């Protein structure tokens, strides 16, 4: 009996430490929402997901990869594009969001259309303006590839790609995109200090912004109408398209503000290029409507100096270690050591 | 997709039963459980891509009304969240061991308005209504 207990304990301890060592995050953060028990992080699965993320094989004519719209050097958003740019030079209808701290999200996309990170990749793979293919076609291509048969074998002990394995491997890579090393984080842990200007900005942020852009993730993962005027060419009603509930009209997912310095242009349609334009929106651009968030009904007052202070605080959310993390970039080292097709 | 589908279900001889019960569709917990394999692998085409959720029932084809040219139609029923939860439970009494289960599609087709609607591809009130009609039109027939 004792023996069994000790074996069990040993298993429990190893399970715990693997999870902790392979998916680490600051101890002051909330628990992730992603169910790691269904898809425990393992190095070879993360590697497979990373290779898939950078491979245009996921698109119909092998021209577009996930990275085409989510570049590591801009915290995984689309460099310089307001609306995403997909297959056959198509222009999509929304701005590609930055990808980070995805393990803490309950829903994905600007309207919350996707209910689990695993299912996210199906959307761009199948979208005629994005990658124009289907998971079935992709899996058939992967099954025919020596390189992928080897990578699936290393990850799953079975060389045959399936939809499930492909989606879970992509999730594994996406889950590792944790950004938690900004100046803000170092100030919170006591290793650095804010300048006076940043400190003023932080106070203004806590007063006016943090109910929605909640610390430490800088989003509460809810939907809100932050008073943007309707874009007449896109006519995007946001969350309402999913719930068909008119009280959700113009509500969009509250985005994180981490790495905001790198993720311009801003908002679901990329309408603002600069943070100063965002400040002017919150102080003087808010459109009153039935679904406008209650905390924005009353005008936010900021002097020009206060706007500058608030922006200087937002810039403390930049995480260079994240943006230049070589574990996140094109997986040259993995590809060069796998079979060639 | 096959033009007609037959599914054989074997039961144990030693067990006798007088009713069968099954779900038409995928329950909401399974719908939020991430990527699944086997029959539930999204490569089978029974999963929506632009919005998460399994497709519980799919019928696609062409219709022609009053000598008008043929028109494509696609009916995809699903929805795992209220108020458009479309999963249906079917319960049937059986009196024989060797039975055929038949789904009469006539009432379903009659309730589609092909003069206006050729595509139902997302959770909605109509999708729930159509799912209820399907569930009511299973019949147990003696196999001879």
């Amino acid at each position: 009996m004792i023996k069994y207990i000790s074996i069990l304990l040993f298993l429990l301890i190893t399970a715990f430490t693997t999870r902790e060592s392979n998916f680490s995050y600051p101890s002051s953060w909330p628990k992730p929402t992603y169910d790691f028990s269904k898809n425990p992080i393992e190095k070879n699965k993360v590697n497979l997901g990373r290779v898939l993320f950078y491979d245009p094989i996921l698109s119909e004519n092998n021209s577009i990869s996930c990275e085409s719209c989510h570049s590591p050097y801009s915290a995984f958003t689309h460099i310089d594009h307001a609306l995403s740019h997909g297959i056959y030079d198509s222009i999509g209808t929304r701005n590609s969001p930055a990808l980070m701290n995805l393990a803490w999200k309950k829903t994905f996309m600007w309207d919350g259309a996707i209910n689990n990170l695993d299912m996210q990749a199906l959307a761009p793979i199948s979208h005629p303006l994005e990658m124009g293919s289907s998971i079935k076609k992709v899996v058939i291509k992967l099954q025919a590839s020596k390189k992928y048969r080897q990578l699936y074998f290393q990850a799953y002990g079975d060389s045959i790609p399936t939809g499930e394995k492909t989606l879970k491997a992509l999730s594994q890579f996406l889950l590792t995109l944790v950004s938690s090393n900004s100046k803000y984080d170092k100030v919170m842990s006591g290793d650095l200090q804010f300048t006076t200007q940043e400190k003023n900005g932080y106070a203004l942020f806590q007063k006016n912004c943090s109910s929605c852009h909640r610390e430490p993730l800088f989003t509460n993962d809810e939907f809100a109408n932050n008073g943007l005027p309707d874009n007449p060419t896109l006519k995007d009603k946001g969350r309402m398209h999913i719930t068909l509930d008119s009280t959700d009209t113009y509500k969009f997912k509250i985005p994180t503000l981490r790495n905001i310095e790198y993720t311009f242009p801003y908002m679901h349609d990329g309408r603002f290029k600069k943070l100063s334009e965002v400040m002017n929106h919150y102080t003087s651009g808010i459109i009153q409507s039935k679904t406008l968030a209650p905390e924005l009904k009353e005008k936010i007052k900021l002097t020009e100096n206060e706007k500058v202070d608030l922006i200087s605080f937002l810039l403390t959310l930049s995480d260079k270690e994240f943006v230049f993390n070589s574990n996140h970039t094109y997986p040259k080292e993995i590809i060069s050591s796998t079979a060639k097709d | 997709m096959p033009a007609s589908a037959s599914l054989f279900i074997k039961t144990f001889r030693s067990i006798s039963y007088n009713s069968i019960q099954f779900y038409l569709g995928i329950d909401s917990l399974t719908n939020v459980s991430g990527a699944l394999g086997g029959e539930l692998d999204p490569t089978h085409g029974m999963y929506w891509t632009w919005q998460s959720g399994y497709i519980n029932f799919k019928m696609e084809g062409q219709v022609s009304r009053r000598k008008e040219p043929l028109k494509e139609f696609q009916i995809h029923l699903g929805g795992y969240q209220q108020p458009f939860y479309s999963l249906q439970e079917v319960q049937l009494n059986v009196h024989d061991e060797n039975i055929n289960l038949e789904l009469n599609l006539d009432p379903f087709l009659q309730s589609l308005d092909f003069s206006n609607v050729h595509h139902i591809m997302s959770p909605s009130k109509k999708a729930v209504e159509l799912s209820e009609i399907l569930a009511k039109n299973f019949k147990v027939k003696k196999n001879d």
Side-chain angles (χ1 to χ4, degrees):
Chain A
M1 188 60 191
I2 299 266
K3 205 166 159 194
Y4 279 115
I5 290 176
S6 58
I7 291 174
L8 201 74
L9 258 177
F10 176 73
L11 280 176
L12 275 174
I13 289 168
T14 43
F16 184 72
T17 46
T18 352
R19 210 200 109 183
E20 287 303 296
S21 59
N22 289 345
F23 187 75
S24 48
Y25 58 89
S27 54
S28 58
W29 282 23
K31 281 238 163 322
T33 42
Y34 187 82
D35 186 353
F36 286 93
S37 71
K38 294 205 172 81
N39 191 17
I41 298 281
E42 284 164 32
K43 188 162 186 289
N44 287 338
K45 293 181 181 161
V46 174
N47 283 351
L48 169 60
R50 183 169 157 212
V51 175
L52 288 165
F53 187 87
Y54 284 92
D55 196 338
I57 195 171
L58 300 189
S59 68
E60 179 68 8
N61 62 357
N62 302 319
S63 65
I64 304 278
S65 70
C66 306
E67 188 243 356
S68 309
C69 301
H70 299 286
S71 160
Y73 304 109
S74 61
F76 294 94
T77 176
H78 207 164
I79 295 184
D80 250 5
H81 274 83
L83 300 174
S84 69
H85 186 163
I87 195 164
Y88 314 123
D89 278 335
S90 346
I91 300 296
T93 56
R94 286 188 184 151
N95 181 10
S96 79
L99 306 181
M100 73 195 90
N101 304 338
L102 296 166
W104 285 268
K105 301 194 88 157
K106 300 188 287 283
T107 57
F108 302 84
M109 302 291 211
W110 284 105
D111 54 13
I114 305 296
N115 69 21
N116 188 300
L117 184 58
D118 294 354
M119 304 330 258
Q120 170 68 40
L122 292 175
I125 288 173
S126 319
H127 198 297
L129 304 181
E130 293 180 357
M131 302 171 109
S133 184
S134 74
I135 184 72
K136 189 175 174 183
K137 289 189 204 164
V138 165
V139 165
I140 291 170
K141 283 200 264 179
L142 295 172
Q143 285 172 346
S145 151
K146 262 196 220 135
K147 175 174 96 185
Y148 279 107
R149 285 205 303 270
Q150 183 182 346
L151 289 168
Y152 278 77
F153 184 79
Q154 284 164 356
Y156 291 101
D158 176 351
S159 61
I160 302 175
T162 64
E164 181 191 18
K165 288 180 204 152
T166 306
L167 295 173
K168 284 193 160 158
L170 274 165
S171 281
Q172 294 239 343
F173 172 63
L174 294 172
L175 288 163
T176 63
L177 306 179
V178 175
S179 174
S180 62
N181 286 314
S182 63
K183 175 166 185 188
Y184 161 85
D185 297 296
K186 290 172 185 163
V187 172
M188 292 301 132
S189 64
D191 297 326
L192 286 178
Q193 286 198 322
F194 281 141
T195 63
T196 317
Q197 194 178 34
E198 291 163 352
K199 212 167 171 179
N200 285 342
Y202 184 37
L204 293 164
F205 179 82
Q206 289 188 307
K207 175 159 179 266
N208 296 299
C209 322
S210 66
S211 63
C212 294
H213 299 286
R214 190 195 295 155
E215 299 168 69
L217 294 158
F218 289 85
T219 167
N220 59 10
D221 206 32
E222 299 293 331
F223 301 91
N225 173 355
N226 72 339
L228 295 171
D230 185 30
N231 181 328
T233 46
L234 295 170
K235 296 200 173 59
D236 194 340
K237 297 204 162 44
R239 183 70 179 150
M240 187 263 184
H241 292 297
I242 300 301
T243 61
L244 308 184
D245 181 345
S246 64
T247 63
D248 287 331
T249 310
Y250 300 132
K251 289 188 185 168
F252 290 86
K253 179 54 81 70
I254 297 166
T256 180
L257 302 183
R258 285 182 174 270
N259 294 303
I260 199 75
E261 179 181 4
Y262 309 119
T263 62
F264 58 89
Y266 303 114
M267 306 297 170
H268 68 270
D269 54 2
R271 66 179 69 196
F272 299 134
K273 287 201 176 60
K274 296 199 185 111
L275 285 173
S276 57
E277 294 170 63
V278 174
M279 295 303 128
N280 294 339
H281 163 69
Y282 280 109
T283 54
S284 52
I286 302 258
I287 301 290
Q288 296 288 329
S289 73
K290 273 196 198 126
T291 58
L292 177 66
E295 54 268 66
L296 297 175
K297 291 221 153 104
E298 210 170 303
K299 225 178 158 101
I300 294 180
K301 289 198 193 81
L302 296 173
T303 65
E304 288 311 306
N305 282 339
E306 286 173 331
K307 288 183 193 171
V308 175
D309 292 355
L310 186 45
I311 291 176
S312 78
F313 166 70
L314 292 178
L315 298 183
T316 70
L317 301 176
S318 300
D319 180 353
K320 287 216 172 63
E321 289 166 49
F322 176 71
V323 175
F324 295 104
N325 187 334
S326 59
N327 292 324
H328 299 164
T329 49
Y330 180 78
K332 215 168 33 195
E333 72 282 7
I334 304 172
I335 289 168
S336 63
S337 65
T338 13
K340 300 282 167 291
D341 281 322
Chain B
M1 291 288 133
S4 87
S6 299
L7 208 68
F8 294 96
I9 300 169
K10 280 198 185 137
T11 51
F12 293 105
R13 257 208 200 148
S14 52
I15 299 172
S16 69
Y17 49 89
N18 57 11
S19 103
I20 49 176
Q21 186 189 339
F22 59 90
Y23 290 111
L24 195 61
I26 307 291
D27 65 277
S28 57
L29 181 64
T30 309
N31 263 289
V32 297
S33 297
L36 298 167
E39 289 302 319
L40 294 175
D41 193 301
T43 47
H44 295 301
M46 295 298 279
Y47 198 92
W48 272 309
T49 57
W50 59 276
Q51 172 178 15
S52 298
Y54 280 96
I55 300 170
N56 294 336
F57 177 90
K58 221 180 205 188
M59 182 186 273
E60 299 183 350
Q62 295 173 317
V63 278
S64 154
R65 301 173 62 253
R66 293 188 214 94
K67 301 201 174 119
E68 282 168 16
L70 281 173
K71 245 184 149 168
E72 304 274 340
F73 73 90
Q74 286 172 302
I75 310 296
H76 297 181
L77 305 181
Y80 67 92
Q81 270 175 317
Q82 294 298 0
F84 306 129
Y85 191 30
S86 70
L87 178 79
Q88 302 295 319
E89 187 182 318
V90 181
Q91 197 179 1
L92 299 161
N93 295 327
V94 293
H95 305 293
D96 220 294
E97 288 196 346
N98 194 5
I99 53 158
N100 262 342
L101 209 57
E102 282 182 8
L103 173 56
N104 177 10
L105 288 171
D106 204 42
F108 174 79
L109 291 168
Q110 294 299 333
S111 63
L112 291 169
D113 172 15
F114 279 130
S115 56
N116 292 309
V117 181
H118 293 86
H119 300 276
I120 296 178
M121 315 263 290
S122 56
S124 66
K125 199 164 156 245
K126 183 72 187 169
V128 176
E129 281 167 23
L130 288 168
S131 306
E132 287 166 355
I133 292 173
L134 284 172
K136 282 194 200 112
N137 284 284
F138 280 94
K139 268 215 174 67
V140 176
K141 289 232 168 126
K142 198 171 157 56
N143 202 358
D144 12 55

